[in-house]
Amino acid sequence: MLSPAIDADGAPFWRYAARGELRIQACADCGGFRFPPRPCCPRCRSFATEWRAVGGHGRIWSYVVPHPPLLPDYAEQAPYNVIVVELADAPAVRLVGNLVREPGARLDSVAPGGIRIGARVRVVFDGDGLPQWVLERV
Amino acid sequence: MAGLKDATAIVGIGQTAFARRLPEDERTLACRAVLAALDDAGIAPREVDALASYTMEETDEVELAKSLGLGDLTFFSKVGYGGGGSCATVAHLAAAVATGQATVGVAWRSRKRGSGPRPWTNTTVQLPTPAQWTRPFGLLRPADEIAMLARRHMHEYGTTRDHLFNVALACRNRANQNPAAVMYDRPLTREMYMTSRWISEPLCLFDNCLETDGALACVVVSRERARDCRSRPVYVHSAAQGLPAQHHGMVNYWNDDPLTGPAWTAARHLWKHADFTPQDVDVAQIYDAFTALVPLSLEGYGFCDRGEGGAFTEGGALETGGRLPLNTGGGGLSEAYVHGFNLITEGVKQLRGTSTAQVPGAATCLVTAGEGVPTSALLLRN
């Protein structure tokens, strides 16, 4: 599987994820969230940055189901899902991820028929510090 | 920019054969396409003093100029973002010629995408860092990235697979009229489309462009110089690039409104400097790496309202005789996928009256570059 190619701006996200925390970069002056992480706030041009914990709840904004040809590790799990999650406490932040049955489960552990736009999801983390998403039981 | 209006013209076009596999390398193909375009214009290679290309082009200006015996170059430009840069090459040459920086400009594209390696399969090179937010999760290919927007468009606006089929069919029908098209003798039916294999749901095989080897080029000169050229001039009426505020490449999910992509930004500038409106466009060449880009572009360039891009394709609107004949050479879906450059040359053919699927009396043509990435567009007229 592909590991994230981490840059300096993104490194804190992955450090927190490895500890099981979902934190999103925010401006330490005006408070606005920004994603993906970058050096400067597009609203107030401040360089002061903080990493704010978010609730880890969201809704599926869209999803796809890739089929081969794919890289071998991914082809082995195909067809799988990739979802975009709109965070409940930061709606402009949409994270790409996978909907799985339980933490660490395969990318194809939820049947495509069980996915719908608008479904409530909650973040979990796999063994390698990669955020994943499970359906909220409501 | 008002000074650009009809100040320059495309006076030469050239292309190699298109095929899944061509024996010659990209540099050779590039040379052949450029020479063909110059011959079409009746201009000697040593008169060329400007070149424009776009990223992912492996043949650079130095190689081309040296191989072909071009003159001293006083302008050269390489536009970013791959398929989004196709129309910008002509725009940059038009600006250079109109402002006296150069007199004869050539733009080109040479690709061995059919027989060459797929960029996304190479994991030995360092992934670009923006990929840290997408690739580990299996969002690997452009098809996956655009399918995400397509699914959202379907959800919000009721766009259907039949709408996407209408796009694929219009391109294929035109390719069936074009002997140079890769899909010249390969008709498409609705059943073939609906039963084809998935690539990335909701996009199937026929929603994806071809994988093609081939090269194309075109020649840009001033309006005055154009009168002396061998072929009928096609005027660059308006040109624009578009990189919207807070845009983020092809995975533009981090914008406030991901379904209004770069087309909307390019379109505002394009129409602002034009003497006509979308209603006056006779034929359109809209970038079609994926069928789903066409509804987004129809909305962005103002042919219909927001959300109506799918419905616009109904009733044969994109076919010959329809409201907006589309990609009359077959487009990236069915003629050749050469990063959209064949859309430029097909636009020129339509306005010369020499297309294999000629729209009678075509006098205006929109050509667009890749939507979803920072893009560009041209309005051409005869």
Side-chain angles (χ1 to χ4, degrees):
Chain A
M1 307 296 280
L2 296 174
S3 297
I6 298 170
D7 62 355
D9 291 319
F13 177 94
W14 297 107
R15 274 201 307 273
Y16 287 117
R19 305 196 320 227
E21 288 181 54
L22 186 66
R23 287 182 182 252
I24 303 294
Q25 189 189 43
C27 176
D29 281 322
C30 78
F33 283 107
R34 59 182 192 262
F35 187 87
R38 51 194 178 276
C40 180
C41 174
R43 296 172 198 81
C44 71
R45 280 81 188 181
S46 168
F47 286 78
T49 290
E50 63 184 20
W51 285 82
R52 201 178 306 160
V54 293
H57 300 274
R59 289 177 182 272
I60 295 176
W61 183 83
S62 188
Y63 67 98
V64 299
V65 181
H67 293 247
L70 292 157
L71 295 174
D73 288 348
Y74 292 86
E76 190 270 321
Q77 300 188 50
Y80 57 87
N81 72 77
V82 187
I83 63 174
V84 171
V85 176
E86 208 160 41
L87 292 182
D89 37 10
V93 174
R94 302 185 189 95
L95 299 175
V96 175
N98 306 106
L99 186 68
V100 294
R101 198 181 59 242
E102 60 198 12
R106 286 167 54 96
L107 304 187
D108 62 352
S109 58
V110 173
I115 307 171
R116 64 172 180 85
I117 289 176
R120 292 174 188 274
V121 294
R122 165 174 68 82
V123 74
V124 294
F125 293 87
D126 75 355
D128 299 321
L130 208 61
Q132 299 182 304
W133 300 87
V134 295
L135 286 170
E136 293 255 38
R137 303 299 169 198
V138 290
Chain B
M1 267 298 283
L4 200 60
K5 186 187 296 179
D6 303 326
T8 62
I10 299 175
V11 292
I13 53 174
Q15 69 190 49
T16 66
F18 304 132
R20 181 67 181 261
R21 182 177 297 274
L22 293 174
E24 293 182 316
D25 62 20
E26 281 183 355
R27 184 160 43 169
T28 306
L29 295 172
C31 288
R32 291 196 187 284
V34 170
L35 287 179
L38 287 166
D39 184 59
D40 184 46
I43 292 176
R46 79 178 64 84
E47 291 189 70
V48 175
D49 55 8
L51 291 175
S53 61
Y54 47 123
T55 48
M56 301 172 79
E57 176 60 48
E58 298 290 328
T59 304
D60 68 23
E61 301 89 345
V62 170
E63 292 166 352
L64 202 60
K66 198 162 178 164
S67 294
L68 297 180
L70 305 185
D72 291 347
L73 298 185
T74 57
F75 180 92
F76 36 94
S77 164
K78 193 165 196 171
V79 186
Y81 306 102
S86 58
C87 292
T89 60
V90 173
H92 285 206
L93 292 175
V97 169
T99 54
Q101 296 176 81
T103 56
V104 175
V106 172
W108 80 97
R109 178 52 122 210
S110 180
R111 292 280 273 170
K112 293 197 74 168
R113 177 129 181 185
S115 59
R118 313 297 295 151
W120 56 267
T121 60
N122 189 351
T123 57
T124 60
V125 296
Q126 174 78 8
L127 288 171
T129 52
Q132 70 190 296
W133 311 112
T134 53
R135 298 271 178 93
F137 307 101
L139 200 72
L140 302 174
R141 306 160 299 183
D144 304 314
E145 296 170 344
I146 295 302
M148 196 72 82
L149 293 178
R151 173 93 68 184
R152 183 70 195 184
H153 199 271
M154 290 171 158
H155 173 79
E156 279 197 35
Y157 300 119
T159 306
T160 65
R161 291 194 67 212
D162 266 304
H163 293 145
L164 302 184
F165 167 65
N166 291 338
V167 173
L169 181 65
C171 292
R172 184 61 67 90
N173 285 343
R174 300 295 82 72
N176 291 161
Q177 296 172 258
N178 174 8
V182 171
M183 292 296 179
Y184 173 55
D185 52 359
R186 309 270 296 273
L188 178 68
T189 66
R190 185 175 181 279
E191 188 190 357
M192 286 165 66
Y193 176 92
M194 290 297 173
T195 59
S196 70
R197 64 187 169 90
W198 294 113
I199 300 298
S200 191
E201 298 177 53
L203 299 184
C204 71
L205 177 66
F206 295 111
D207 292 311
N208 289 262
C209 60
L210 301 170
E211 297 169 354
T212 311
D213 288 2
L216 304 103
C218 72
V219 182
V220 176
V221 299
S222 71
R223 180 184 188 85
E224 293 70 32
R225 175 67 189 271
R227 296 192 188 106
D228 302 326
C229 289
R230 190 175 282 162
S231 295
R232 178 178 173 179
V234 167
Y235 296 100
V236 179
H237 182 65
S238 182
Q241 291 181 261
L243 198 176
Q246 294 297 307
H247 182 72
H248 195 95
M250 200 180 282
V251 284
N252 187 33
Y253 317 139
W254 302 301
N255 195 314
D256 286 345
D257 189 356
L259 295 181
T260 57
W264 292 74
T265 302
R268 275 193 293 275
H269 194 78
L270 195 71
W271 296 120
K272 186 173 147 188
H273 295 285
D275 291 345
F276 53 91
T277 70
Q279 282 65 46
D280 306 312
V281 169
D282 295 323
V283 57
Q285 316 296 336
I286 294 180
Y287 196 93
D288 59 344
F290 308 101
T291 55
L293 296 179
V294 172
L296 293 170
S297 297
L298 291 170
E299 296 170 19
Y301 287 100
F303 292 99
C304 59
D305 285 339
R306 170 84 188 256
E308 294 178 357
F312 184 96
T313 68
E314 294 170 2
L318 307 181
E319 301 285 340
T320 303
R323 157 78 187 82
L324 187 69
L326 179 81
N327 298 3
T328 43
L333 289 162
S334 281
E335 182 187 29
Y337 184 62
V338 202
H339 257 157
F341 211 96
N342 54 323
L343 301 175
I344 300 172
T345 54
E346 175 61 20
V348 171
K349 290 173 190 172
Q350 278 287 345
L351 300 182
R352 286 178 175 181
T354 60
S355 170
T356 51
Q358 184 63 40
V359 173
T364 58
C365 180
L366 169 72
V367 186
T368 75
E371 170 60 347
V373 291
T375 194
S376 53
L378 296 169
L379 286 175
L380 303 177
R381 76 184 315 174
N382 61 13

